[in-house]
Amino acid sequence: MKKLAVALVLVLASACHSDEKPMLAPDSGTEPTPDAMVDAPTPEATLTSYVIDLITNQTSGTTQARPYSEFATLPDPDTGNTTAYQSLF
Amino acid sequence: MNLKNRLLGSALAAATVLAPSASFASSHREAPFITKNPKVDGTDFYMFNSYEGTTRNGYVTLLANYLPLQDSYGGPNYFTLDPDAIYEVHIDNTGDGVEDITFQFDFDLKLANNNAGVDLPIGGKMINIPLPLAGSLSSPTDADQNMVETYKVGVIRGPRRASAPTLITNLADSSTTLHKPYDNAGSKTIANYGTYAGQFIYEFDMPGCTPTGVQAGTHARVFVGQRREGFAVNLGQIFDLVNFGVSALGVTPTGNQADLTGAADQNKNIVGSKNVTTLALEVPASCLTKDASSPIIAGWTTASVRQARVINPTASFGTPAREGGPYVQISRLGMVLVNEIVIGLKDKDKFNGSEPKNDGQFADYVTNPSLPILVEVVFGATGALAPTTYPRADLVAAFLNGVPSVNVLSSTLFEAVRLNTAVPATSRATQNPLGAATCFDPPASNSVGPTLNLARTGCDPAGFPNGRRPGDDTVDIALRVAMGFLLDQNHAPIRGAPLVDGAYVDARDFMTTFPYLNTPVSGAP
């Protein structure tokens, strides 16, 4: 499950950046090597991050709907967090 | 099987598909998930050659109804459509089950004064009024309207999500923004609703098409607004375990019960006092067909919403929620009654999200329909036995392919309304509520099948299932075909019974002109 979530985050991240380069930490200065990418801590995808990405980055009239299997088992740690989606408003 | 026999078989099959069962609402709240989304609940889809008069010959009318069972008094926030959804009417003119032309309706809902609304001076302060209007209305841009609903219509050629729509333009003012009339709140709000709503019929020329076969100087038309429910059905008794009498079989109706073998009109149209919201188009047939030698088209309507919705905990009028992501289809309607009486309950939501090109997944529901058996369970003791032919290849032909020699578009099987645009329209005064179902002679045997006979008394080939008009009594047709009207006696024991639901519909009960469906029931005298 964690591997799936990590993969999803990477896919979404690549979709969000037109240069298709991995995201850089603000102070990193240089691009990480492939090994560094594997070892670096990666935030786990959640239903919250998935929904925010969907709305923020995939809203158009010509994109295809995302399959249920892609988000069916994502963890939802924000059920008690009323500000989880505040960035959308 | 010869062509005529195939035609009859197909017609029978089509009627059966439309007919039998314990639920006959066309598509009102037919699937569990759509009941949570009434604004995008498609209820009926009509497609027919316009019969308004000679000036509209060569045009096809498309009517897609949404938001079912509206009580006319349901204010103060009446029946606006979903501004975050898209509503679409699709035309396939090549027969592959993929839309070739899509009309996409995209609505917007705003308050007056740049979304601030109307304020009144109250005790020295400007206070926002609580109602969607501040006075009576008479025009599309009335200053007293506090909440304004507008829309744009785009035309997409090819798969619906492959390209952006080309917007149509109102020929009167060159605007792409069109207005939807306020619902019929009552005569004090809108003195003459017919006149008022008539101002919201817009003329346009279809992008990318130079029409032929229409009178010079005429144009396509569009209207979106509230209409009186045109579908006629005895809904309550049907959902009450088909609570009918059947006098011809010795089951005498009691109390106010309707008689399945009684008069066609028993004043049982319980939905006739409700309103719906109609998306209406009238487009030159030549702009819908593939070419002049291919007059048959298939049509259906869908509604789609954004895949993600997040409720705003500090809602405002403009941002009660944030919706985004790709569009996902959650409503689909082509042939009447299909998702009610053919598709199994566990697959109804799947059907609403499906595309015609993938209809093979629903084939078992057609070849082995369950609803005739349910009718038999209720009335079998009286002799009302279901047809016994399985698998129902005839239903497959009609349900997924059209009627041979009339409206078969291709050999590809998919569910949609099919219309032969070359069949001349029947005038309103001479339409038969039983449509093209009246054009078949009884079958000599099940192996021979019914025979198309255009000379048959009352034959109306321009009606259902060759397209569908407001005046086609699809429920009665369905009832009869479901119980085998077009099958032979050996395979359909009560095939000759003139079954009715007691809710009558007739073209003469509708308007003479576009959009044909009647002005909505008024919310107040």
Side-chain angles (χ1 to χ4, degrees), chain A residues 51 54-56 58-66 71 82 85-86 88-89, chain B residues 161 163-164 306-308 310-313 321-328:
Chain A
V51 168
L54 200 64
I55 293 176
T56 305
Q58 300 184 56
T59 298
S60 84
T62 55
T63 50
Q64 294 297 315
R66 308 306 305 167
F71 54 84
T82 58
Y85 295 95
Q86 195 56 47
L88 292 174
F89 299 101
Chain B
R161 300 290 173 261
S163 59
R306 293 290 186 185
Q307 195 161 11
V310 178
I311 307 299
N312 186 352
R322 175 80 184 271
E323 302 194 18
Y327 284 116
V328 183

PDB file of all heavy atoms in Angstrom, chain A residues 51 54-56 58-66 71 82 85-86 88-89, chain B residues 161 163-164 306-308 310-313 321-328:
ATOM      1  N   VAL A  51      -7.422  14.752  -3.406  1.00  0.00           N
ATOM      2  CA  VAL A  51      -8.538  15.617  -3.813  1.00  0.00           C
ATOM      3  C   VAL A  51      -8.027  17.020  -4.152  1.00  0.00           C
ATOM      4  O   VAL A  51      -8.436  17.620  -5.152  1.00  0.00           O
ATOM      5  CB  VAL A  51      -9.595  15.672  -2.689  1.00  0.00           C
ATOM      6  CG1 VAL A  51     -10.610  16.784  -2.964  1.00  0.00           C
ATOM      7  CG2 VAL A  51     -10.307  14.331  -2.580  1.00  0.00           C
ATOM      8  N   LEU A  54      -6.443  16.918  -7.432  1.00  0.00           N
ATOM      9  CA  LEU A  54      -7.438  16.745  -8.497  1.00  0.00           C
ATOM     10  C   LEU A  54      -8.076  18.086  -8.859  1.00  0.00           C
ATOM     11  O   LEU A  54      -8.203  18.446 -10.032  1.00  0.00           O
ATOM     12  CB  LEU A  54      -8.505  15.751  -8.020  1.00  0.00           C
ATOM     13  CG  LEU A  54      -9.367  15.056  -9.061  1.00  0.00           C
ATOM     14  CD1 LEU A  54      -8.534  14.163  -9.955  1.00  0.00           C
ATOM     15  CD2 LEU A  54     -10.454  14.233  -8.370  1.00  0.00           C
ATOM     16  N   ILE A  55      -8.462  18.810  -7.832  1.00  0.00           N
ATOM     17  CA  ILE A  55      -9.144  20.079  -8.068  1.00  0.00           C
ATOM     18  C   ILE A  55      -8.178  21.150  -8.580  1.00  0.00           C
ATOM     19  O   ILE A  55      -8.498  21.910  -9.495  1.00  0.00           O
ATOM     20  CB  ILE A  55      -9.834  20.557  -6.769  1.00  0.00           C
ATOM     21  CG1 ILE A  55     -10.983  19.605  -6.420  1.00  0.00           C
ATOM     22  CG2 ILE A  55     -10.317  21.994  -6.904  1.00  0.00           C
ATOM     23  CD1 ILE A  55     -11.669  19.908  -5.109  1.00  0.00           C
ATOM     24  N   THR A  56      -7.000  21.173  -8.005  1.00  0.00           N
ATOM     25  CA  THR A  56      -6.061  22.242  -8.335  1.00  0.00           C
ATOM     26  C   THR A  56      -5.394  22.039  -9.692  1.00  0.00           C
ATOM     27  O   THR A  56      -5.183  22.995 -10.444  1.00  0.00           O
ATOM     28  CB  THR A  56      -4.982  22.343  -7.244  1.00  0.00           C
ATOM     29  OG1 THR A  56      -5.617  22.502  -5.980  1.00  0.00           O
ATOM     30  CG2 THR A  56      -4.057  23.518  -7.505  1.00  0.00           C
ATOM     31  N   GLN A  58      -6.090  19.226 -12.092  1.00  0.00           N
ATOM     32  CA  GLN A  58      -6.667  18.385 -13.142  1.00  0.00           C
ATOM     33  C   GLN A  58      -8.073  18.803 -13.536  1.00  0.00           C
ATOM     34  O   GLN A  58      -8.853  17.999 -14.034  1.00  0.00           O
ATOM     35  CB  GLN A  58      -6.657  16.922 -12.687  1.00  0.00           C
ATOM     36  CG  GLN A  58      -5.248  16.419 -12.403  1.00  0.00           C
ATOM     37  CD  GLN A  58      -5.239  14.954 -12.040  1.00  0.00           C
ATOM     38  OE1 GLN A  58      -5.723  14.123 -12.802  1.00  0.00           O
ATOM     39  NE2 GLN A  58      -4.703  14.620 -10.883  1.00  0.00           N
ATOM     40  N   THR A  59      -8.400  20.056 -13.308  1.00  0.00           N
ATOM     41  CA  THR A  59      -9.718  20.555 -13.679  1.00  0.00           C
ATOM     42  C   THR A  59      -9.695  21.086 -15.106  1.00  0.00           C
ATOM     43  O   THR A  59      -9.095  22.125 -15.379  1.00  0.00           O
ATOM     44  CB  THR A  59     -10.173  21.666 -12.716  1.00  0.00           C
ATOM     45  OG1 THR A  59     -10.274  21.124 -11.401  1.00  0.00           O
ATOM     46  CG2 THR A  59     -11.523  22.221 -13.129  1.00  0.00           C
ATOM     47  N   SER A  60     -10.305  20.350 -15.996  1.00  0.00           N
ATOM     48  CA  SER A  60     -10.436  20.809 -17.382  1.00  0.00           C
ATOM     49  C   SER A  60     -11.581  20.051 -18.026  1.00  0.00           C
ATOM     50  O   SER A  60     -12.132  19.122 -17.443  1.00  0.00           O
ATOM     51  CB  SER A  60      -9.144  20.581 -18.167  1.00  0.00           C
ATOM     52  OG  SER A  60      -9.095  19.265 -18.673  1.00  0.00           O
ATOM     53  N   GLY A  61     -11.926  20.470 -19.199  1.00  0.00           N
ATOM     54  CA  GLY A  61     -13.023  19.811 -19.896  1.00  0.00           C
ATOM     55  C   GLY A  61     -12.591  18.657 -20.751  1.00  0.00           C
ATOM     56  O   GLY A  61     -13.426  17.976 -21.341  1.00  0.00           O
ATOM     57  N   THR A  62     -11.319  18.419 -20.820  1.00  0.00           N
ATOM     58  CA  THR A  62     -10.850  17.378 -21.740  1.00  0.00           C
ATOM     59  C   THR A  62     -10.034  16.276 -21.058  1.00  0.00           C
ATOM     60  O   THR A  62      -9.472  15.426 -21.736  1.00  0.00           O
ATOM     61  CB  THR A  62      -9.987  18.009 -22.852  1.00  0.00           C
ATOM     62  OG1 THR A  62      -8.937  18.750 -22.246  1.00  0.00           O
ATOM     63  CG2 THR A  62     -10.822  18.928 -23.721  1.00  0.00           C
ATOM     64  N   THR A  63      -9.972  16.295 -19.727  1.00  0.00           N
ATOM     65  CA  THR A  63      -9.260  15.218 -19.051  1.00  0.00           C
ATOM     66  C   THR A  63     -10.223  14.081 -18.718  1.00  0.00           C
ATOM     67  O   THR A  63     -11.411  14.296 -18.510  1.00  0.00           O
ATOM     68  CB  THR A  63      -8.606  15.718 -17.745  1.00  0.00           C
ATOM     69  OG1 THR A  63      -9.598  16.416 -16.987  1.00  0.00           O
ATOM     70  CG2 THR A  63      -7.450  16.652 -18.041  1.00  0.00           C
ATOM     71  N   GLN A  64      -9.698  12.875 -18.670  1.00  0.00           N
ATOM     72  CA  GLN A  64     -10.522  11.708 -18.391  1.00  0.00           C
ATOM     73  C   GLN A  64     -10.658  11.514 -16.885  1.00  0.00           C
ATOM     74  O   GLN A  64      -9.742  11.817 -16.108  1.00  0.00           O
ATOM     75  CB  GLN A  64      -9.882  10.461 -19.013  1.00  0.00           C
ATOM     76  CG  GLN A  64      -9.850  10.503 -20.543  1.00  0.00           C
ATOM     77  CD  GLN A  64     -11.244  10.530 -21.146  1.00  0.00           C
ATOM     78  OE1 GLN A  64     -12.125   9.785 -20.736  1.00  0.00           O
ATOM     79  NE2 GLN A  64     -11.442  11.393 -22.138  1.00  0.00           N
ATOM     80  N   ALA A  65     -11.790  10.963 -16.479  1.00  0.00           N
ATOM     81  CA  ALA A  65     -12.032  10.705 -15.065  1.00  0.00           C
ATOM     82  C   ALA A  65     -11.007   9.716 -14.518  1.00  0.00           C
ATOM     83  O   ALA A  65     -10.562   8.801 -15.225  1.00  0.00           O
ATOM     84  CB  ALA A  65     -13.447  10.161 -14.875  1.00  0.00           C
ATOM     85  N   ARG A  66     -10.624   9.906 -13.255  1.00  0.00           N
ATOM     86  CA  ARG A  66      -9.659   9.018 -12.615  1.00  0.00           C
ATOM     87  C   ARG A  66     -10.377   7.772 -12.120  1.00  0.00           C
ATOM     88  O   ARG A  66     -11.495   7.848 -11.590  1.00  0.00           O
ATOM     89  CB  ARG A  66      -8.971   9.723 -11.442  1.00  0.00           C
ATOM     90  CG  ARG A  66      -8.358  11.088 -11.780  1.00  0.00           C
ATOM     91  CD  ARG A  66      -7.417  11.017 -12.949  1.00  0.00           C
ATOM     92  NE  ARG A  66      -6.356  10.010 -12.733  1.00  0.00           N
ATOM     93  CZ  ARG A  66      -5.562   9.568 -13.683  1.00  0.00           C
ATOM     94  NH1 ARG A  66      -5.718   9.986 -14.936  1.00  0.00           N
ATOM     95  NH2 ARG A  66      -4.643   8.683 -13.405  1.00  0.00           N
ATOM     96  N   PHE A  71      -8.008   5.839  -5.918  1.00  0.00           N
ATOM     97  CA  PHE A  71      -8.185   6.549  -4.645  1.00  0.00           C
ATOM     98  C   PHE A  71      -8.999   5.752  -3.621  1.00  0.00           C
ATOM     99  O   PHE A  71      -9.213   6.214  -2.505  1.00  0.00           O
ATOM    100  CB  PHE A  71      -8.857   7.904  -4.884  1.00  0.00           C
ATOM    101  CG  PHE A  71     -10.159   7.858  -5.640  1.00  0.00           C
ATOM    102  CD1 PHE A  71     -11.352   7.608  -5.007  1.00  0.00           C
ATOM    103  CD2 PHE A  71     -10.185   8.067  -7.016  1.00  0.00           C
ATOM    104  CE1 PHE A  71     -12.550   7.578  -5.705  1.00  0.00           C
ATOM    105  CE2 PHE A  71     -11.373   8.035  -7.730  1.00  0.00           C
ATOM    106  CZ  PHE A  71     -12.561   7.790  -7.072  1.00  0.00           C
ATOM    107  N   THR A  82     -10.902  20.240  10.327  1.00  0.00           N
ATOM    108  CA  THR A  82     -11.805  21.098   9.559  1.00  0.00           C
ATOM    109  C   THR A  82     -11.070  22.075   8.653  1.00  0.00           C
ATOM    110  O   THR A  82     -11.692  22.750   7.831  1.00  0.00           O
ATOM    111  CB  THR A  82     -12.709  21.902  10.508  1.00  0.00           C
ATOM    112  OG1 THR A  82     -11.872  22.674  11.376  1.00  0.00           O
ATOM    113  CG2 THR A  82     -13.605  20.979  11.316  1.00  0.00           C
ATOM    114  N   TYR A  85      -8.846  21.270   3.997  1.00  0.00           N
ATOM    115  CA  TYR A  85      -9.039  21.696   2.607  1.00  0.00           C
ATOM    116  C   TYR A  85      -9.052  23.216   2.466  1.00  0.00           C
ATOM    117  O   TYR A  85      -9.495  23.749   1.464  1.00  0.00           O
ATOM    118  CB  TYR A  85     -10.353  21.121   2.069  1.00  0.00           C
ATOM    119  CG  TYR A  85     -10.352  19.611   1.978  1.00  0.00           C
ATOM    120  CD1 TYR A  85     -10.876  18.823   2.996  1.00  0.00           C
ATOM    121  CD2 TYR A  85      -9.835  18.973   0.854  1.00  0.00           C
ATOM    122  CE1 TYR A  85     -10.865  17.442   2.922  1.00  0.00           C
ATOM    123  CE2 TYR A  85      -9.828  17.592   0.759  1.00  0.00           C
ATOM    124  CZ  TYR A  85     -10.343  16.828   1.790  1.00  0.00           C
ATOM    125  OH  TYR A  85     -10.329  15.466   1.694  1.00  0.00           O
ATOM    126  N   GLN A  86      -8.581  23.897   3.481  1.00  0.00           N
ATOM    127  CA  GLN A  86      -8.684  25.356   3.493  1.00  0.00           C
ATOM    128  C   GLN A  86      -7.976  25.990   2.301  1.00  0.00           C
ATOM    129  O   GLN A  86      -8.382  27.043   1.809  1.00  0.00           O
ATOM    130  CB  GLN A  86      -8.094  25.910   4.790  1.00  0.00           C
ATOM    131  CG  GLN A  86      -8.467  27.355   5.074  1.00  0.00           C
ATOM    132  CD  GLN A  86      -9.975  27.569   5.089  1.00  0.00           C
ATOM    133  OE1 GLN A  86     -10.703  26.808   5.713  1.00  0.00           O
ATOM    134  NE2 GLN A  86     -10.437  28.594   4.382  1.00  0.00           N
ATOM    135  N   LEU A  88      -8.155  25.364  -0.644  1.00  0.00           N
ATOM    136  CA  LEU A  88      -8.994  25.420  -1.849  1.00  0.00           C
ATOM    137  C   LEU A  88      -9.885  26.654  -1.876  1.00  0.00           C
ATOM    138  O   LEU A  88     -10.465  26.978  -2.911  1.00  0.00           O
ATOM    139  CB  LEU A  88      -9.868  24.170  -1.932  1.00  0.00           C
ATOM    140  CG  LEU A  88      -9.143  22.849  -2.185  1.00  0.00           C
ATOM    141  CD1 LEU A  88     -10.117  21.688  -2.100  1.00  0.00           C
ATOM    142  CD2 LEU A  88      -8.452  22.865  -3.544  1.00  0.00           C
ATOM    143  N   PHE A  89      -9.987  27.323  -0.741  1.00  0.00           N
ATOM    144  CA  PHE A  89     -10.956  28.429  -0.688  1.00  0.00           C
ATOM    145  C   PHE A  89     -10.281  29.782  -0.495  1.00  0.00           C
ATOM    146  O   PHE A  89      -9.183  29.869  -0.013  1.00  0.00           O
ATOM    147  CB  PHE A  89     -11.963  28.192   0.448  1.00  0.00           C
ATOM    148  CG  PHE A  89     -12.749  26.936   0.272  1.00  0.00           C
ATOM    149  CD1 PHE A  89     -12.421  25.788   0.978  1.00  0.00           C
ATOM    150  CD2 PHE A  89     -13.779  26.858  -0.645  1.00  0.00           C
ATOM    151  CE1 PHE A  89     -13.126  24.619   0.808  1.00  0.00           C
ATOM    152  CE2 PHE A  89     -14.490  25.694  -0.832  1.00  0.00           C
ATOM    153  CZ  PHE A  89     -14.159  24.564  -0.102  1.00  0.00           C
TER     154      PHE A  89
ATOM    155  N   ARG B 161     -14.804  14.463 -25.001  1.00  0.00           N
ATOM    156  CA  ARG B 161     -13.749  15.020 -24.166  1.00  0.00           C
ATOM    157  C   ARG B 161     -12.445  15.221 -24.952  1.00  0.00           C
ATOM    158  O   ARG B 161     -11.396  15.474 -24.358  1.00  0.00           O
ATOM    159  CB  ARG B 161     -13.471  14.099 -22.975  1.00  0.00           C
ATOM    160  CG  ARG B 161     -14.662  13.868 -22.073  1.00  0.00           C
ATOM    161  CD  ARG B 161     -15.063  15.086 -21.266  1.00  0.00           C
ATOM    162  NE  ARG B 161     -16.304  14.817 -20.557  1.00  0.00           N
ATOM    163  CZ  ARG B 161     -17.512  15.216 -20.988  1.00  0.00           C
ATOM    164  NH1 ARG B 161     -17.622  15.943 -22.090  1.00  0.00           N
ATOM    165  NH2 ARG B 161     -18.601  14.909 -20.305  1.00  0.00           N
ATOM    166  N   SER B 163     -11.978  17.535 -27.388  1.00  0.00           N
ATOM    167  CA  SER B 163     -11.709  18.910 -27.796  1.00  0.00           C
ATOM    168  C   SER B 163     -12.649  19.854 -27.073  1.00  0.00           C
ATOM    169  O   SER B 163     -13.674  19.433 -26.530  1.00  0.00           O
ATOM    170  CB  SER B 163     -11.856  19.069 -29.321  1.00  0.00           C
ATOM    171  OG  SER B 163     -13.164  18.701 -29.717  1.00  0.00           O
ATOM    172  N   ALA B 164     -12.301  21.100 -27.092  1.00  0.00           N
ATOM    173  CA  ALA B 164     -13.133  22.111 -26.438  1.00  0.00           C
ATOM    174  C   ALA B 164     -14.336  22.442 -27.320  1.00  0.00           C
ATOM    175  O   ALA B 164     -14.264  22.349 -28.549  1.00  0.00           O
ATOM    176  CB  ALA B 164     -12.307  23.371 -26.184  1.00  0.00           C
ATOM    177  N   ARG B 306     -18.115  17.317 -11.755  1.00  0.00           N
ATOM    178  CA  ARG B 306     -16.687  17.234 -11.448  1.00  0.00           C
ATOM    179  C   ARG B 306     -16.441  16.081 -10.478  1.00  0.00           C
ATOM    180  O   ARG B 306     -17.259  15.787  -9.615  1.00  0.00           O
ATOM    181  CB  ARG B 306     -16.208  18.539 -10.841  1.00  0.00           C
ATOM    182  CG  ARG B 306     -16.242  19.726 -11.794  1.00  0.00           C
ATOM    183  CD  ARG B 306     -15.196  19.605 -12.887  1.00  0.00           C
ATOM    184  NE  ARG B 306     -15.123  20.798 -13.722  1.00  0.00           N
ATOM    185  CZ  ARG B 306     -14.362  20.901 -14.808  1.00  0.00           C
ATOM    186  NH1 ARG B 306     -13.629  19.854 -15.201  1.00  0.00           N
ATOM    187  NH2 ARG B 306     -14.329  22.009 -15.510  1.00  0.00           N
ATOM    188  N   GLN B 307     -15.290  15.462 -10.625  1.00  0.00           N
ATOM    189  CA  GLN B 307     -15.035  14.261  -9.845  1.00  0.00           C
ATOM    190  C   GLN B 307     -14.859  14.540  -8.355  1.00  0.00           C
ATOM    191  O   GLN B 307     -15.119  13.673  -7.526  1.00  0.00           O
ATOM    192  CB  GLN B 307     -13.800  13.535 -10.386  1.00  0.00           C
ATOM    193  CG  GLN B 307     -13.659  12.110  -9.874  1.00  0.00           C
ATOM    194  CD  GLN B 307     -12.745  11.275 -10.728  1.00  0.00           C
ATOM    195  OE1 GLN B 307     -12.043  11.782 -11.590  1.00  0.00           O
ATOM    196  NE2 GLN B 307     -12.752   9.962 -10.506  1.00  0.00           N
ATOM    197  N   ALA B 308     -14.418  15.733  -8.011  1.00  0.00           N
ATOM    198  CA  ALA B 308     -14.199  16.039  -6.600  1.00  0.00           C
ATOM    199  C   ALA B 308     -15.045  17.228  -6.166  1.00  0.00           C
ATOM    200  O   ALA B 308     -15.204  18.198  -6.905  1.00  0.00           O
ATOM    201  CB  ALA B 308     -12.728  16.344  -6.344  1.00  0.00           C
ATOM    202  N   VAL B 310     -15.576  19.542  -2.547  1.00  0.00           N
ATOM    203  CA  VAL B 310     -15.224  19.799  -1.157  1.00  0.00           C
ATOM    204  C   VAL B 310     -16.143  20.901  -0.636  1.00  0.00           C
ATOM    205  O   VAL B 310     -16.210  21.988  -1.209  1.00  0.00           O
ATOM    206  CB  VAL B 310     -13.751  20.226  -1.021  1.00  0.00           C
ATOM    207  CG1 VAL B 310     -13.425  20.543   0.434  1.00  0.00           C
ATOM    208  CG2 VAL B 310     -12.831  19.131  -1.549  1.00  0.00           C
ATOM    209  N   ILE B 311     -16.851  20.592   0.425  1.00  0.00           N
ATOM    210  CA  ILE B 311     -17.797  21.557   0.986  1.00  0.00           C
ATOM    211  C   ILE B 311     -17.035  22.662   1.709  1.00  0.00           C
ATOM    212  O   ILE B 311     -16.101  22.403   2.471  1.00  0.00           O
ATOM    213  CB  ILE B 311     -18.756  20.864   1.976  1.00  0.00           C
ATOM    214  CG1 ILE B 311     -19.421  19.654   1.296  1.00  0.00           C
ATOM    215  CG2 ILE B 311     -19.798  21.843   2.504  1.00  0.00           C
ATOM    216  CD1 ILE B 311     -20.245  19.984   0.100  1.00  0.00           C
ATOM    217  N   ASN B 312     -17.445  23.890   1.459  1.00  0.00           N
ATOM    218  CA  ASN B 312     -16.823  25.032   2.108  1.00  0.00           C
ATOM    219  C   ASN B 312     -17.428  25.222   3.500  1.00  0.00           C
ATOM    220  O   ASN B 312     -18.627  25.477   3.622  1.00  0.00           O
ATOM    221  CB  ASN B 312     -17.062  26.285   1.255  1.00  0.00           C
ATOM    222  CG  ASN B 312     -16.307  27.496   1.785  1.00  0.00           C
ATOM    223  OD1 ASN B 312     -15.721  27.452   2.868  1.00  0.00           O
ATOM    224  ND2 ASN B 312     -16.317  28.572   1.014  1.00  0.00           N
ATOM    225  N   PRO B 313     -16.639  25.094   4.539  1.00  0.00           N
ATOM    226  CA  PRO B 313     -17.202  25.243   5.898  1.00  0.00           C
ATOM    227  C   PRO B 313     -17.644  26.666   6.206  1.00  0.00           C
ATOM    228  O   PRO B 313     -18.369  26.890   7.170  1.00  0.00           O
ATOM    229  CB  PRO B 313     -16.050  24.802   6.804  1.00  0.00           C
ATOM    230  CG  PRO B 313     -14.824  25.038   5.996  1.00  0.00           C
ATOM    231  CD  PRO B 313     -15.210  24.793   4.572  1.00  0.00           C
ATOM    232  N   ALA B 321     -19.134  25.363  -2.183  1.00  0.00           N
ATOM    233  CA  ALA B 321     -18.256  24.197  -2.289  1.00  0.00           C
ATOM    234  C   ALA B 321     -17.240  24.482  -3.375  1.00  0.00           C
ATOM    235  O   ALA B 321     -17.394  25.417  -4.166  1.00  0.00           O
ATOM    236  CB  ALA B 321     -19.055  22.942  -2.616  1.00  0.00           C
ATOM    237  N   ARG B 322     -16.209  23.698  -3.397  1.00  0.00           N
ATOM    238  CA  ARG B 322     -15.216  23.791  -4.472  1.00  0.00           C
ATOM    239  C   ARG B 322     -15.247  22.463  -5.217  1.00  0.00           C
ATOM    240  O   ARG B 322     -15.063  21.405  -4.628  1.00  0.00           O
ATOM    241  CB  ARG B 322     -13.829  24.051  -3.901  1.00  0.00           C
ATOM    242  CG  ARG B 322     -12.694  24.054  -4.908  1.00  0.00           C
ATOM    243  CD  ARG B 322     -12.574  25.358  -5.669  1.00  0.00           C
ATOM    244  NE  ARG B 322     -11.522  25.255  -6.675  1.00  0.00           N
ATOM    245  CZ  ARG B 322     -10.232  25.546  -6.459  1.00  0.00           C
ATOM    246  NH1 ARG B 322      -9.853  25.963  -5.258  1.00  0.00           N
ATOM    247  NH2 ARG B 322      -9.328  25.421  -7.419  1.00  0.00           N
ATOM    248  N   GLU B 323     -15.512  22.525  -6.502  1.00  0.00           N
ATOM    249  CA  GLU B 323     -15.553  21.311  -7.304  1.00  0.00           C
ATOM    250  C   GLU B 323     -14.463  21.364  -8.352  1.00  0.00           C
ATOM    251  O   GLU B 323     -14.159  22.417  -8.903  1.00  0.00           O
ATOM    252  CB  GLU B 323     -16.931  21.145  -7.954  1.00  0.00           C
ATOM    253  CG  GLU B 323     -18.050  21.100  -6.918  1.00  0.00           C
ATOM    254  CD  GLU B 323     -19.361  20.598  -7.479  1.00  0.00           C
ATOM    255  OE1 GLU B 323     -19.353  19.959  -8.561  1.00  0.00           O
ATOM    256  OE2 GLU B 323     -20.399  20.836  -6.837  1.00  0.00           O
ATOM    257  N   GLY B 324     -13.884  20.234  -8.628  1.00  0.00           N
ATOM    258  CA  GLY B 324     -12.826  20.204  -9.620  1.00  0.00           C
ATOM    259  C   GLY B 324     -12.465  18.802 -10.040  1.00  0.00           C
ATOM    260  O   GLY B 324     -13.044  17.820  -9.575  1.00  0.00           O
ATOM    261  N   GLY B 325     -11.509  18.724 -10.922  1.00  0.00           N
ATOM    262  CA  GLY B 325     -11.111  17.444 -11.490  1.00  0.00           C
ATOM    263  C   GLY B 325     -11.830  17.188 -12.800  1.00  0.00           C
ATOM    264  O   GLY B 325     -12.587  18.027 -13.294  1.00  0.00           O
ATOM    265  N   PRO B 326     -11.617  16.050 -13.388  1.00  0.00           N
ATOM    266  CA  PRO B 326     -12.266  15.735 -14.654  1.00  0.00           C
ATOM    267  C   PRO B 326     -13.778  15.575 -14.468  1.00  0.00           C
ATOM    268  O   PRO B 326     -14.257  15.319 -13.367  1.00  0.00           O
ATOM    269  CB  PRO B 326     -11.628  14.389 -15.051  1.00  0.00           C
ATOM    270  CG  PRO B 326     -10.403  14.265 -14.211  1.00  0.00           C
ATOM    271  CD  PRO B 326     -10.683  15.012 -12.956  1.00  0.00           C
ATOM    272  N   TYR B 327     -14.517  15.705 -15.556  1.00  0.00           N
ATOM    273  CA  TYR B 327     -15.953  15.433 -15.511  1.00  0.00           C
ATOM    274  C   TYR B 327     -16.200  13.930 -15.457  1.00  0.00           C
ATOM    275  O   TYR B 327     -15.516  13.154 -16.128  1.00  0.00           O
ATOM    276  CB  TYR B 327     -16.651  16.015 -16.742  1.00  0.00           C
ATOM    277  CG  TYR B 327     -16.825  17.514 -16.686  1.00  0.00           C
ATOM    278  CD1 TYR B 327     -16.191  18.335 -17.603  1.00  0.00           C
ATOM    279  CD2 TYR B 327     -17.641  18.089 -15.725  1.00  0.00           C
ATOM    280  CE1 TYR B 327     -16.355  19.715 -17.556  1.00  0.00           C
ATOM    281  CE2 TYR B 327     -17.811  19.468 -15.671  1.00  0.00           C
ATOM    282  CZ  TYR B 327     -17.171  20.269 -16.584  1.00  0.00           C
ATOM    283  OH  TYR B 327     -17.340  21.629 -16.524  1.00  0.00           O
ATOM    284  N   VAL B 328     -17.194  13.556 -14.656  1.00  0.00           N
ATOM    285  CA  VAL B 328     -17.597  12.153 -14.558  1.00  0.00           C
ATOM    286  C   VAL B 328     -19.095  12.073 -14.825  1.00  0.00           C
ATOM    287  O   VAL B 328     -19.887  12.752 -14.176  1.00  0.00           O
ATOM    288  CB  VAL B 328     -17.303  11.575 -13.157  1.00  0.00           C
ATOM    289  CG1 VAL B 328     -17.667  10.095 -13.115  1.00  0.00           C
ATOM    290  CG2 VAL B 328     -15.851  11.781 -12.796  1.00  0.00           C
TER     291      VAL B 328
END
